[in-house]
Amino acid sequence: MIDFLKKYTTKTILLLGGIVFVFNACSSDDDASNEEETTAINKLDLTQYNGDSKGVMMQAFYWDVEPIGEWYTTVETKLADWSAAGINRIWLPAPGKGQSGSFSMGYDPSDYFDVGEFEQHGTIETRFGSRAELEGLINTAHQNNIEVIADIVLGHNSGGGQQDNPYRPGDTEVYSLFNEANGNASGKFNRSYEHFHPNSIHANDAEALFFEKTDLCHDQQYVKDWLWLRDDSVANFYKDVLGFDGWRFDYVKSFAPSVVTEWNKKVGGFSVGENFDGNANTLKDWVDASGSSAFDFACFYRLEEALDRDKDLSILAESKNMLRKIYPEKAVTFIANHDTEKEENLNNRISYANKMMAHAYILTHDGYPTLFYSDYENPLFKEQLKNLIVIRNSLASGNVKILKAVKNEYIMQREGTDGNPGLILYINIGTEIASHEVTTSWKNKTLIDYSNNIKDNPSTNLSGTTTLTAPPKSFSIWSIAQ
């Protein structure tokens, strides 16, 4: 009898003259089990959903990567992890030999065809490794369903031999001779003063001059032929021989948009231009003229202003102040790159403390997001970024609708598509937890914060209304429970 009684709480047992009356005869173990079953709230299986545009690009380098000569092999070891996380493209630095030899980051191009196999400028390998290591990296990337994007520097050259230029009378400090003995050991695309500005065609083109004395003239047929028109051109060597899948065009302000248009028409592949400009309309004009995607510097600067400089999230709601708002299918968004993270740009970058909020923004909004190697491989960010990529590739679907944008709070809903519930992003830059009543498209649903920053599970009513919260100086990302 005692053993029997132990199975019941005293509240359910009444003893009268040795007779046992049992009410609601349930064991305490069963109570706990039943309570667990009725209150368990599970996330959706996100593998069943597709965002509007799956995939994220990785900038697979930073300025002055180390160790010298081993970068390609370093990146190759990361590819399986990146692919599993949802990365579908990587952007590599300019592969050709630069004037700075083993110290070159590729932005002082001397020999486009020497990708680590000719001895010149004091080295055989580039800073990143050998040609064999580059081709091995590209092959491994393809095995992991990752495309590889080459950085292409077309505006200027460096590292040639000294040469008199009759179009620069009295100026002997011109280094425009590129041949086997002068910075072009491959012997392909040898150049002279006629291929730079000024020349017999014109003094300069209509675009900005980056390195004036060795500013390539793309109106010279010889230059066009060697860069993209010949069967053995730079473009075809990179694509058909090395295996690159697309292009990141460096400093496109230094040559006409038609250069990109013609290059892409000849060799194809994904392309994005670096038009270093914070004006969204300027970026759109270049996209319209070139047909290429562009890095959304306007979005980058608005995030920097909203999170750091002005500390005012209402900036994010201003009309058409980002390329992604005007032309989302051509906007490549980012929050850091090899230039913005340099020491001299400390006052012109998104601060470390605010980076995850910025990441949450670009990985939930439209546009094609790019992650920066040093951010993704940071142990403090990596798992959060992996989770954000999963959310991006699954729930970031439907129209973008801003529900609230004030100084400290920004709430945005992706309205979802057929069968995809979408999401709500809530950013809070205040010092205390924030909450706000919103009307969603989810009626009579229990919600979960898929960013794992808030543990509460609010429910919507018949009208879709509920109160959402976000932690201080952080964010939450809401969608429906299973």
Side-chain angles (χ1 to χ4, degrees), residues 67-112:
I68 290 175
E70 298 180 26
W71 190 247
Y72 290 145
T73 56
T74 297
V75 170
E76 188 172 2
T77 65
K78 308 285 187 182
L79 294 173
D81 171 72
W82 293 353
S83 177
I87 304 296
N88 70 330
R89 288 190 180 101
I90 61 170
W91 155 28
L92 293 181
K97 188 70 62 66
Q99 180 181 11
S100 303
S102 61
F103 297 98
S104 171
M105 283 300 296
Y107 297 102
D108 54 349
S110 181
D111 190 339
Y112 289 99

Side-chain angles (χ1 to χ4, degrees), residues 104-161:
S104 171
M105 283 300 296
Y107 297 102
D108 54 349
S110 181
D111 190 339
Y112 289 99
F113 290 91
D114 179 6
V115 294
E117 60 178 320
F118 297 97
E119 186 169 1
Q120 58 182 331
H121 298 305
T123 182
I124 294 177
E125 292 188 340
T126 66
R127 185 181 190 112
F128 318 111
S130 67
R131 172 176 173 172
E133 289 166 341
L134 171 60
E135 290 178 306
L137 185 164
I138 293 172
N139 183 56
T140 301
H142 290 163
Q143 291 173 3
N144 283 278
N145 300 311
I146 294 176
E147 290 189 355
V148 185
I149 307 305
D151 206 322
I152 304 295
V153 185
L154 298 180
H156 62 275
N157 291 167
S158 302

